[in-house]
Structures are given as C-alpha cells and as structure tokens.
Amino acid sequence: MKVDPQAVEEAARELYIRALKILPPDIKDGFARLSAGETDRTARSVLATMVTNIRVAEDTHNLLCQDTGIPIYNVLIGRGVEVDGHALKQAIRRGCERATREHPLRSSVVHPLTRRNEHTSCGIEVPVIHVDFSDRSEVLQIEMVPKGSGSENNSFLKMAIPAEGVDAIKTFVVDCVIAAGGKTCPPTIVGVGIGGTSDLCVGLAKRAATRELGSRCGDPEGAKIEEQLSAAVNRLGVGPQGLGGDSTAFAVHVELAATHITMNPVAVNMQCHSARRATATFTPDGVSFGF
C-alpha cells in the first residue's frame, strides 16, 4: 500500500480539529463512572458542569478547551506500507499549520527563548512526531494528541534508588498528584513511566497518560500497580478542579521498560479531564477516523 503525502496532510489537519472538538467515548464513560461514585456534593456539581461544557462544545462545534496545546502526532506504520518518511513528516507539519490558520485555532506554540509565536502551532521540533512500526498488514495509523500546558506543566521525574523498591515508586506518584492539586484540571489520567533511561521513562509516562481508559498495562506487575495507585489517588481528596471529592483521577496508567541494575527511574505525566485525541487509519480501502 502506497500512502499519498497529500492524504496525510489532509488527515493531519482534520485530526487536529477533531481532537479539539470531540471528546473520546471512553472519557465520557469515565465521567459517568466518577459521577455515579462521587460522594461529595460540590464535586458532583463540578463534574456535572464539566459534562455540560463537553455537550455544549460538541453541539455548537466549539473547542472543548481554549488551550490547543502542543500538537503531538504518533505514527504507526504497518507491514507492506510504502511511504517516504521525510515527506510524511512534512505533510503532517503542513496539515497542522493549515488546521491552525484555516479553522482558525489559537496557536499555543512559541520560541522557547524569544517567545515569538508564528501562529501556526508549529516551531522548532513541533509538532512532535513519533514514528513506530507494527505487524499489521497494509495499515498506517496516525494518532493526534493536543497536550495542554495545564497537564504538561505537571510533569515529574525521579531517578529512584533500586533498594527503595516499589514503595518509593508509589510514594512518588502520590506526592506528584498532591503537588499538582487542581492545576491539572482534574479528574486526570495519571501516566506513570517506570524503567528505561530518563528520557524513555518520561516518554512512557506520556504514553500511559494518553492511553484509552479501560486499557491495562501489558505487564502483570505494572497492571497491579495501576490498580493500587488508582485507588490510592482517589483517596487523596483533591477532587475535580481541586475543590475536594473522590474524583481526583479517571485512572492511573503505567508503562514499563527494562532498566539498568543501578537505576530505577519513575516519571509522572498527567492528562487533564479534557483528554483529547483522534486517530486516522489508512488502509487500501481509504481513510477512516476514530479515537
């Protein structure tokens, strides 16, 4: 299957707009689940307001949140897919620029030193584009995640000592959630990366934070920690928007990587309650959109 860069450009444009306007069904289900179990009256009211905001935004074709975030595109290339890698990345960048200019969207991307805004949602190394490969035949998938600063500013890394064990990991995660408080616009998805190198660990945390609700860590020990931390975090009393309650997080997600015998890195990256993402899937039959 040969992929046309023009089709990639159109998909990248559409994905950015879709991600900003339509909340994935699993997140809506997460709101329903939290609302059903919330015991605090104020928290129930806050959750109801969030749900109303989502409905109004979708009904009126407006943005779920004014923060258009840092645009992230995750590309997964299957077997038998013919694509020019450089052309693919350039097409994604053009699609991101077009979405910002043609829609129009607020550009949240600036030069890190001069703070100059080109009003394209693009800049040095942005959009962030990750490319990986899968064993699926003749399938190319592009996932778009607009990562807002409210959640991204609450990112943490600790190079833990192996002798401290799993308890140090759990304590660090809980401390990070307490430190973030309401600044991440909870309820959140708390992404936790464990292992690897420092940069890989942070990347794993972000991958975990943007995973679909209801998914589980592929490693049984990681899945066990997910369950334990999800319960612990929702006993902290931070609650939606940091105003108190049981609904601090939709879930805690964990991703693992092997690491060095003298290291035990752990990272936390959070996703806000507007956990936006959209996906385009290219097959020989055409392009389809989903979450």
Side-chain angles (χ1 to χ4, degrees):
M1 181 184 75
K2 188 171 183 178
V3 178
D4 179 13
Q6 183 60 40
V8 171
E9 179 181 328
E10 293 295 335
R13 175 191 179 278
E14 180 68 16
L15 283 173
Y16 201 177
I17 296 168
R18 282 175 176 259
L20 292 172
K21 289 188 170 187
I22 307 170
L23 200 64
D26 58 290
I27 306 300
K28 294 176 183 176
D29 292 342
F31 269 108
R33 177 176 53 80
L34 288 180
S35 297
E38 181 57 66
T39 61
D40 184 271
R41 180 182 298 177
T42 299
R44 287 198 301 270
S45 176
V46 173
L47 289 171
T49 300
M50 290 176 171
V51 170
T52 299
N53 177 75
I54 293 164
R55 184 178 68 251
V56 170
E58 292 185 344
D59 288 348
T60 58
H61 305 288
N62 277 306
L63 305 189
L64 293 159
C65 174
Q66 84 285 353
D67 187 352
T68 55
I70 291 278
I72 302 170
Y73 290 86
N74 300 315
V75 182
L76 199 58
I77 302 173
R79 289 174 171 166
V81 175
E82 183 181 343
V83 61
D84 180 322
H86 178 73
L88 176 99
K89 294 181 76 171
Q90 291 301 109
I92 289 173
R93 187 182 185 95
R94 289 195 302 271
C96 182
E97 290 178 346
R98 285 181 53 204
T100 306
R101 286 174 167 163
E102 295 173 9
H103 188 65
L105 306 174
R106 185 191 85 180
S107 174
S108 301
V109 177
V110 299
H111 187 282
L113 300 178
T114 66
R115 312 307 290 181
R116 178 179 172 82
N117 191 330
E118 299 293 343
H119 301 288
T120 60
S121 295
C122 296
I124 303 168
E125 298 292 333
V126 175
V128 181
I129 302 173
H130 300 292
V131 179
D132 205 346
F133 302 89
S134 78
D135 60 359
R136 297 178 66 186
S137 180
E138 296 194 298
V139 174
L140 182 142
Q141 189 172 78
I142 302 176
E143 178 188 53
M144 196 282 157
V145 178
K147 194 68 162 62
S149 72
S151 58
E152 193 66 4
N153 275 331
N154 290 283
S155 301
F156 308 87
L157 171 68
K158 177 182 175 67
M159 302 303 288
I161 299 170
E164 295 174 325
V166 174
D167 284 346
I169 294 171
K170 294 178 182 177
T171 299
F172 178 68
V173 173
V174 169
D175 286 347
C176 289
V177 175
I178 293 171
K183 293 179 288 185
T184 53
C185 294
T188 62
I189 302 173
V190 182
V192 181
I194 304 172
T197 56
S198 58
D199 56 329
L200 174 56
C201 190
V202 173
L204 290 171
K206 183 167 293 181
R207 185 190 306 172
T210 55
R211 253 176 40 205
E212 183 177 351
L213 286 181
S215 60
R216 290 172 64 83
C217 179
D219 181 271
E221 292 302 313
K224 187 188 300 181
I225 293 177
E226 282 182 333
E227 187 175 345
Q228 294 168 347
L229 282 173
S230 293
V233 161
N234 282 328
R235 287 196 294 265
L236 294 176
V238 175
Q241 296 290 49
L243 298 174
D246 310 309
S247 306
T248 301
F250 293 113
V252 176
H253 289 169
V254 173
E255 291 290 326
L256 307 180
T259 192
H260 192 276
I261 55 174
T262 64
M263 293 172 15
N264 200 26
V266 53
V268 171
N269 182 270
M270 300 184 192
Q271 182 63 302
C272 65
H273 73 269
S274 188
R276 303 163 294 177
R277 66 179 190 275
T279 301
T281 303
F282 293 73
T283 68
D285 296 326
V287 184
S288 59
F289 292 92
F291 302 99

